[in-house]
Amino acid sequence: MQSAVILIDVEKGQINAVAQRLAELEGISEVFSTCGRYDLVAIARTRDFESLAQLVTERLMQVKGIRETETLNAMQVHSRHDLETMFSLGW
């Protein structure tokens, strides 16, 4: 499984609309609205790096209202939770 944190800057007045569209995308498990430098933070969980690359470079860029993104690829998970089981995609 490939995980990433995607930091998102959106156009003025579009936070809720963009968050809803992002939450509907396959591979996005959560979307948080935030205060600070970025408007939204999306958590991506895909089966492999190629799927993550397609999500970030193709499908995310089709969401109207996104101005800028920064993707942080997870290298190692540090958690008490079995994330592999919790977010199993069944592949």
Side-chain angles (χ1 to χ4, degrees):
M1 176 184 288
Q2 183 70 42
S3 299
V5 175
I6 305 169
L7 308 173
I8 304 162
D9 188 25
V10 303
E11 295 174 3
K12 186 175 181 177
Q14 296 296 310
I15 292 173
N16 291 334
V18 170
Q20 285 194 318
R21 288 192 291 269
L22 290 172
E24 295 171 358
L25 291 178
E26 183 179 335
I28 299 293
S29 60
E30 295 121 329
V31 179
F32 301 94
S33 57
T34 62
C35 44
R37 166 67 184 92
Y38 294 95
D39 301 308
L40 298 172
V41 174
I43 306 300
R45 302 187 198 286
T46 60
R47 68 175 167 230
D48 53 34
F49 184 78
E50 290 76 23
S51 300
L52 177 63
Q54 182 184 39
L55 173 65
V56 172
T57 62
E58 295 176 22
R59 292 188 284 146
L60 232 61
M61 295 301 105
Q62 293 176 2
V63 176
K64 290 186 179 186
I66 292 179
R67 289 195 315 185
E68 184 179 346
T69 65
E70 182 174 347
T71 302
L72 308 173
N73 290 336
M75 295 177 14
Q76 191 173 16
V77 177
H78 304 273
S79 174
R80 291 178 290 148
H81 304 287
D82 183 358
L83 295 179
E84 194 72 35
T85 300
M86 288 173 58
F87 294 98
S88 175
L89 301 175
W91 290 306

